């Protein structure tokens, strides 16, 4: 309410009640502003919290999706990548098979790393593989993984020597290994799983160890800290099965059994030196077998004796044992060691010669002869 009177300059003069009412309204407005600000602040804080939670959750989800699905799982999952598959379809297939956690993240991860040129094919992947291992597998067309450890089985080892290698590299003792590879039930199980490799020949009467010579010598990667004995043995059997399967047709043409094949190859492996011409030694053995002449190879004598000796004595050559090729004609009952790829190939590709004898000099170089007189001359020249 205004008075009729006006101050100089035309400004109205408020009475006391009007002033109090105006101050009251101003105070109410200030209170409303504070309330609004408080509400806005709370809403902003809630939004920030929600964003932070969402960001943290997203970060955790992405981080988790970049890790293996199950680091402890070594179960193989068959995955087929069809021809012409792009990264989108490949990612979907991998997610559906449970190899990765999220197809989109895998897709963006490959793009971020600029990975491409993935190959179609059938893969045996596991949930313990990292994204990089999966990518490497799809790029190379083979399953790629970083092994937990590797175990090297050198060429020319017997089962008993392989047992020592296994003991040094795993938690399994050499004794347990030998118990397993000589267990009849296990051998029969392996014959069922590898029918083309392990035939009835390994069960013949005079064979010392059924699986002798059937565990392929190589460096093996293992993807768990403590593989079972069965896994270790099957890994080596699988490799030998793969190698032998390459020569199925040739063996059939030569009318040579797998057992004879690996037995012959094991003799070459044990006779070999760094400079040895395995193909020529193979020709010597074949030439002798054609005329029913004993192979007379020292490693079979040592195998018959069951012990390693630096020098074979004349009395050793007369030991009565099926494996002694000095007193028995033809191949021994079975392999005497694990043959490598070079000896295996030399068995099927011998040099054509008339040689019947050979010897290695002190430097390991071999000298061949067609007759016994020539052989005696070589002994005189290179060993005496």
């Amino acid at each position: 309410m205004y008075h009729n009177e006006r101050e100089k300059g035309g400004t109205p003069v408020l009475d006391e009640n009007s002033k109090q009412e105006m101050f009251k309204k101003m105070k109410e407005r200030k209170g409303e502003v504070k309330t609004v600000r408080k509400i806005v602040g709370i809403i902003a804080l809630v939004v920030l919290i929600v964003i932070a939670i969402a960001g943290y959750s997203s970060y955790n989800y992405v981080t988790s999706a970049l890790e293996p699905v199950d680091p402890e799982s070594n179960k193989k999952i068959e995955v087929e990548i069809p021809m012409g598959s792009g990264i989108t379809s490949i990612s979907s297939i991998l997610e559906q098979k449970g190899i990765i956690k999220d197809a989109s993240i895998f897709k963006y991860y490959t793009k971020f790393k600029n990975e491409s040129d993935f190959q179609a094919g059938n893969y045996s992947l596991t949930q313990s593989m990292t994204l990089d291992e999966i990518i490497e597998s799809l790029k190379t067309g083979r399953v790629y993984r970083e092994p937990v450890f590797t175990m090297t089985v050198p060429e020319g080892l017997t089962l008993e020597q392989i047992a020592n290698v296994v003991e040094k590299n795993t938690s399994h003792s050499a004794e347990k290994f030998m118990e397993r590879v000589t267990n009849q039930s296990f051998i029969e199980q392996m014959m069922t799983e590898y029918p083309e490799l392990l035939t009835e020949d390994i069960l013949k009467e005079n064979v010392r160890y059924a699986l002798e010579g059937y565990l392929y010598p190589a460096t093996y990667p293992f993807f768990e800290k403590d593989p079972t004995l069965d896994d270790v043995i099957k890994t080596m059997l699988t490799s030998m099965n793969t190698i032998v399967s390459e020569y199925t047709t040739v063996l059939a043409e030569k009318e040579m059994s797998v057992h004879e094949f690996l037995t012959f190859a094991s003799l070459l492996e044990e006779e070999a030196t760094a400079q040895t011409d395995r193909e020529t030694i193979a020709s010597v053995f074949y030439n002798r077998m054609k005329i029913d002449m004993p192979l007379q190879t020292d490693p079979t004598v040592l195998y018959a004796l069951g012990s390693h000796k630096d020098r074979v004595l004349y009395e050793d050559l007369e030991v009565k044992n099926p494996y002694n090729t000095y007193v028995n004609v033809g191949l021994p009952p079975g392999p005497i060691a694990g043959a490598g790829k070079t000896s295996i190939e030399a068995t099927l590709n011998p040099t054509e010669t008339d040689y019947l004898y050979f010897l290695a000099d002190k430097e390991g170089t071999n000298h061949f002869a067609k007759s016994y007189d020539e052989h005696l001359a070589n002994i005189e020249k290179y060993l005496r």
Side-chain angles (χ1 to χ4, degrees):
M1 181 180 292
Y2 295 101
H3 285 284
N4 291 330
E5 298 178 3
R6 291 177 178 270
E7 294 183 351
K8 292 180 179 180
T11 302
V13 178
L14 299 177
D15 59 20
E16 192 64 29
N17 289 334
S18 297
K19 289 181 180 180
Q20 290 180 0
E21 185 177 347
M22 185 178 67
F23 290 143
K24 181 179 180 182
K25 287 180 179 181
M26 290 176 64
K27 190 175 182 180
E28 288 176 353
R29 286 175 183 174
K30 288 182 179 180
E32 289 174 357
V33 170
K34 287 183 178 179
T35 302
V36 171
R37 287 178 178 173
K38 188 175 182 180
I39 293 172
V40 171
I42 293 172
I43 292 173
L45 181 60
V46 170
V47 170
L48 288 174
I49 291 173
V50 170
I51 292 174
I53 293 173
Y56 181 73
S57 299
S58 298
Y59 172 79
N60 282 343
Y61 180 80
V62 172
T63 301
S64 175
L66 293 173
E67 296 174 349
V69 174
D70 184 357
E72 303 300 322
S73 175
N74 285 289
K75 180 182 178 182
K76 293 181 179 180
I77 300 174
E78 299 301 318
V79 178
E80 180 182 358
I81 304 298
M83 290 289 292
S85 298
I87 185 58
T88 300
S89 59
I90 291 174
S91 300
S92 297
I93 292 171
L94 294 175
E95 182 180 10
Q96 290 169 9
K97 288 290 185 176
I99 302 299
I100 60 175
K101 295 178 181 178
D102 189 285
S104 296
I105 290 176
F106 180 79
K107 175 182 175 180
Y108 290 121
Y109 183 76
T110 57
K111 289 185 175 181
F112 173 76
K113 298 198 71 176
N114 198 28
E115 300 285 6
S116 58
D117 298 326
F118 299 120
Q119 296 189 32
N122 295 308
Y123 298 86
S124 295
L125 307 177
T126 70
Q127 292 181 326
S128 60
M129 295 178 72
T130 65
L131 297 192
D132 288 331
E133 289 172 344
I134 295 170
I135 290 171
E136 187 66 23
S137 297
L138 296 176
K139 286 177 61 180
T140 60
R142 60 183 177 82
V143 177
Y144 173 86
R145 293 183 63 193
E146 288 290 344
V148 175
F149 73 95
T150 59
M151 181 178 74
T152 299
V153 179
E155 298 168 342
L157 297 191
T158 64
L159 273 182
E160 292 174 340
Q161 291 170 324
I162 293 175
N164 292 327
V165 174
V166 172
E167 183 176 75
K168 291 178 181 178
N169 288 274
T170 72
S171 64
H172 308 293
S173 67
E175 182 181 4
K176 289 295 182 182
F177 177 87
M178 290 304 298
E179 286 178 2
R180 194 57 177 160
V181 295
T182 57
N183 180 276
Q184 190 62 32
S185 296
F186 177 72
I187 292 170
E188 291 173 359
Q189 178 188 339
M190 293 302 96
M191 291 176 70
T192 301
E193 294 186 24
Y194 303 92
E196 301 299 321
L197 177 67
L198 303 175
T199 65
E200 293 293 329
D201 289 338
I202 67 173
L203 301 179
K204 287 183 178 179
E205 182 180 357
N206 292 321
V207 174
R208 179 179 293 175
Y209 297 128
L211 297 183
E212 185 79 89
Y214 284 86
L215 305 186
Y216 188 68
T219 295
Y220 292 99
F222 288 94
F223 303 96
E224 52 185 314
K225 293 181 180 179
D226 193 22
T228 66
L229 267 179
D230 285 13
D231 286 340
V232 172
I233 297 167
K234 287 182 180 181
T235 297
M236 289 186 274
L237 280 173
T238 298
S239 290
M240 183 63 84
N241 190 58
T242 301
I243 294 294
V244 171
S245 65
E246 297 177 19
Y247 307 104
T248 302
T249 303
V250 180
L251 289 176
E253 292 173 354
K254 289 182 174 290
E255 297 183 349
M256 193 178 203
S257 70
V258 171
H259 194 65
E260 291 170 333
F261 175 42
L262 293 182
T263 299
F264 195 108
S266 73
L267 301 186
L268 293 184
E269 190 63 58
E270 291 297 84
E271 281 285 9
T273 62
Q275 294 80 29
T276 293
D277 183 344
R278 288 174 170 83
E279 289 82 0
T280 307
I281 293 178
S283 75
V284 173
F285 289 159
Y286 279 123
N287 291 339
R288 285 188 168 222
M289 290 170 67
K290 287 178 183 177
I291 60 175
D292 290 331
M293 181 179 179
L295 297 181
Q296 296 180 321
T297 173
D298 289 357
T300 63
V301 176
L302 295 175
Y303 191 81
L305 294 173
S307 60
H308 176 74
K309 299 178 69 174
D310 293 330
R311 185 178 180 184
V312 177
L313 304 177
Y314 283 112
E315 61 189 50
D316 297 329
L317 304 181
E318 299 176 358
V319 63
K320 292 183 179 180
N321 186 287
Y323 281 89
N324 185 357
T325 56
Y326 276 85
V327 296
N328 300 292
V329 176
L331 293 170
I336 61 173
K341 189 72 177 288
T342 306
S343 295
I344 285 174
E345 290 182 343
T347 298
L348 297 178
N349 299 286
T351 305
E352 291 187 12
T353 74
D354 294 325
Y355 294 137
L356 290 173
Y357 302 88
F358 72 93
L359 61 83
D361 62 25
K362 296 176 182 179
E363 284 71 41
T365 302
N366 283 284
H367 302 277
F368 298 88
K370 297 178 182 179
S371 67
Y372 186 59
D373 287 340
E374 288 181 17
H375 183 58
L376 289 177
N378 283 340
I379 292 175
E380 189 68 27
K381 182 176 181 181
Y382 297 108
L383 298 182
R384 293 177 184 174

